[in-house]
Amino acid sequence: MKIVKFIQCKKFAKNVVCEQKFVLLQNTKKKTLIQNIGERFFMVNLWEEKIKPMLAEKAKPFDDKDFLFEIKFDGTRAISYIDATNKSIRMLNRRMLFFEERYPEFKDLWKNINCRKAIIDGEVVVFKNNVPDFYLLQEREQVSSGLRAEILSRINPATYIVFDILYKDGEDLTNLPLIERKKILREVIKEDEKIVVSEYVVEKGKALFEEAKRRNLEGIMAKRINSTYQIGKRSKDWLKIKVLETIDCIICGYTKGEGWREEYFGALVLGCYHDNKLVYVGRCGTGLSEEGYEKLTQMLEKIKTNQNPFGEEIEELKSKNVTWVKPQVVCEIKCMGITPDLKLRAPSFVRIREDKPVEECTI
């Protein structure tokens, strides 16, 4: 069975954003996304928009001839605006921030498209021994110095794994069936060590999931073959099937460490939104190396606050001497499940999610 090709590549791309600009619907047949503004309808030029990516629901492994399946890589989601005419590339993450300066290895990615302009969806991934390494990716994501970014781009170069195309040379492609967009993407992208098109299988989701598990990968994606690209929406047309159960949580505070962790935090105090309210979901004190405890402690000390983010006293934390922090750092947690009272069972830290807005941390 043909499965996603494993990549020995190493680099990435960027995006371009402009101000919102609306064009009246009349006289346009091929442009873009329709927005209803009051009583009037307008066409929106995608190239001039900050685009929120289409998101997936959770699911279990399955087979279905109406779906295609591809590997889910442990990377940073990026909508990339690539302009070959002006030799420019910019990348937009899920927080609606451009971050291409962290990946100088992608500055010439405009050479890798067979058109003038394209908007591409994909993931930035850093590989180690042919497996995605989110610790190395995290190091790349936290760089603020241009010189440091340049050094890391040579030591731990990234790969842009692309899986969808939204726009090509003035034409909005989002209403085309996925399988047609996949064909156009393959025609547009010239692969090399910097950029790779994600391959897929049709129908055989269970077999691909087992292969992902065997290779210690994050999981797979299932996508309805005839689905449109639904900007900014979480849809059942796309499904994420993870090998491990994980949940994205907001770090709301921490307890003091003991023993060798005396200088660091003991456990993270975690929260998620439930019915539009930030609720306490438990504590997590495992899953990091000593270096990880040190770096995360330094990060959290910078955002300490006297205000309890939950807005009410938590019975379980009364005797824990909690240091509260501003609820703005998202982390991924693996666990054995969630109890009926919304507490994580046996939580363990996986990574910081620089790309995830706190509003998307729901339970």
Side-chain angles (χ1 to χ4, degrees), residues 11-14 82-84 87-89 103-113 190 192 194-195:
K11 298 186 176 173
F12 188 71
K14 309 177 182 175
I82 308 176
D83 186 343
K87 301 180 181 180
S88 66
I89 302 163
Y103 297 93
E105 63 263 49
F106 300 134
K107 65 181 181 296
D108 293 329
L109 205 67
W110 54 269
K111 296 177 180 178
N112 291 78
I113 61 170
K190 294 183 283 188
D192 62 11
K194 301 183 296 294
I195 184 169

Side-chain angles (χ1 to χ4, degrees), residues 7 82 107 127 130 133 169 199 206 246 278 291 304 308 314 327 330 338 352:
I7 308 163
I82 308 176
K107 65 181 181 296
F127 286 91
N130 286 336
D133 190 311
D169 289 344
E199 295 193 12
K206 290 181 179 178
T246 67
L278 185 61
E291 182 183 8
K304 289 192 295 187
N308 178 347
I314 307 297
V330 176
I338 300 170
I352 294 295

Side-chain angles (χ1 to χ4, degrees), residues 273-286:
Y273 283 101
H274 177 70
D275 292 338
N276 296 317
K277 183 178 188 295
L278 185 61
V279 298
Y280 171 68
V281 297
R283 290 175 291 134
C284 173
T286 63

Side-chain angles (χ1 to χ4, degrees), residues 94-130:
R94 285 175 63 181
R95 289 176 179 257
M96 297 289 98
L97 300 174
F98 289 111
F99 66 103
E100 64 277 356
E101 71 280 353
R102 299 172 189 166
Y103 297 93
E105 63 263 49
F106 300 134
K107 65 181 181 296
D108 293 329
L109 205 67
W110 54 269
K111 296 177 180 178
N112 291 78
I113 61 170
N114 290 310
C115 60
R116 297 185 303 277
K117 288 183 178 180
I119 301 177
I120 307 294
D121 193 358
E123 281 192 282
V124 181
V125 181
V126 177
F127 286 91
K128 182 178 181 180
N129 299 324
N130 286 336

Side-chain angles (χ1 to χ4, degrees), residues 2 11-12 22 32 56 115 138 193 206 223 232 247 282 338:
K2 188 178 181 184
K11 298 186 176 173
F12 188 71
F22 298 99
T32 312
C115 60
Q138 188 172 313
E193 77 282 0
K206 290 181 179 178
K223 299 177 181 179
I247 182 171
I338 300 170

Side-chain angles (χ1 to χ4, degrees), residues 62-80:
F62 66 96
D63 291 337
D64 191 321
K65 62 181 176 56
D66 293 327
F67 280 78
L68 61 82
F69 300 86
E70 54 195 353
I71 292 293
K72 186 179 191 311
F73 291 95
D74 208 356
T76 293
R77 188 79 175 270
I79 300 285
S80 295

